[in-house]
Amino acid sequence: TTLTLGSTNAGTIALGSGDVQSNFLYPAFAAKRDSTQGIANASWVKLQINTEDYDTNGAYDASSNYRFTVPSGQAGKYSFLGHVMLPGVDTNEYGAIAFYKNGSIITESQGREQKASDDRDTFIACSYSLGLAVDDYIELYAYQNSGGTQNANYMHFSGFRIGT
C-alpha cells in the first residue's frame, strides 16, 4: 500500500523485516570507459564513457552520445561525479574535466603539475549538483595542454536525482 505524509500527519516510517525502500535517489546511473581515449592537446574532448555499471531508468546513453538525459517526469535536483586520469602532465601543464549542460560548460576541475617532473599521471575528479528540467542533458569532457595527444584512462561518470 501507499502511505502519503502531509503537514498534519508527519512522522517516522519504519520498514518491516524484508521490506525495502525503492525509488529514492532515482534515476541513477554509473558508467566507465573500458579502454583509453585520446585527448587532443588544448581541446575540450567529450569522454566516450561506454560501459554502464547500472542505469535505473535507461537515461544514460553509453553507445552513441555518451550523456545522461533527464527522463519524462523526473525533473529536479541532481548530483553528478566524474573522474579521469591523464598521463603526461609535466611542469606547469594541467589537465581538467568539466560537466556540460545542454552543450555548454557549467563547471570545471583542474589538476596541475607544479613540481619539476616529467610525464606525471594526474587524477582529476569533479562533482556538481544542479536543478534540471526534463530533456536537459549532462556530458563529461576532458582537457589537457601537454603539447600532444594523451590517452586518458580510469574514466567514470555517475549521477542521481536528489529530489524535487
Side-chain angles (χ1 to χ4, degrees), residues 141-157:
Y141 280 68
Y143 176 96
Q144 58 84 24
N145 70 343
S146 70
T149 297
Q150 297 295 335
N151 288 320
N153 207 346
Y154 304 109
M155 292 168 268
H156 179 265
F157 184 25

Side-chain angles (χ1 to χ4, degrees), residues 11-23:
T12 301
I13 298 174
L15 298 177
S17 176
D19 292 333
V20 295
Q21 72 181 38
S22 64
N23 297 324

Side-chain angles (χ1 to χ4, degrees), residues 1 25 32 34 69 89 118 152 159 163:
T1 62
L25 305 177
K32 61 188 174 221
D34 59 5
T69 303
V89 178
D118 292 330

Side-chain angles (χ1 to χ4, degrees), residues 40-78:
N41 181 60
S43 298
W44 283 103
V45 176
K46 184 185 342 186
L47 296 178
Q48 297 176 354
I49 300 180
N50 60 1
T51 303
E52 291 178 343
D53 290 325
Y54 59 86
D55 184 1
T56 63
N57 291 59
Y60 182 76
D61 181 345
S63 61
S64 62
N65 61 26
Y66 311 102
R67 65 185 181 202
F68 171 81
T69 303
V70 177
S72 177
Q74 298 297 318
K77 293 175 180 60
Y78 283 79

Side-chain angles (χ1 to χ4, degrees), residues 67-70 100-104 132-133 135-139:
R67 65 185 181 202
F68 171 81
T69 303
V70 177
Y100 278 56
K101 175 187 173 189
N102 300 334
S104 298
L132 295 174
D135 293 330
D136 280 345
Y137 61 91
I138 301 294
E139 302 164 302

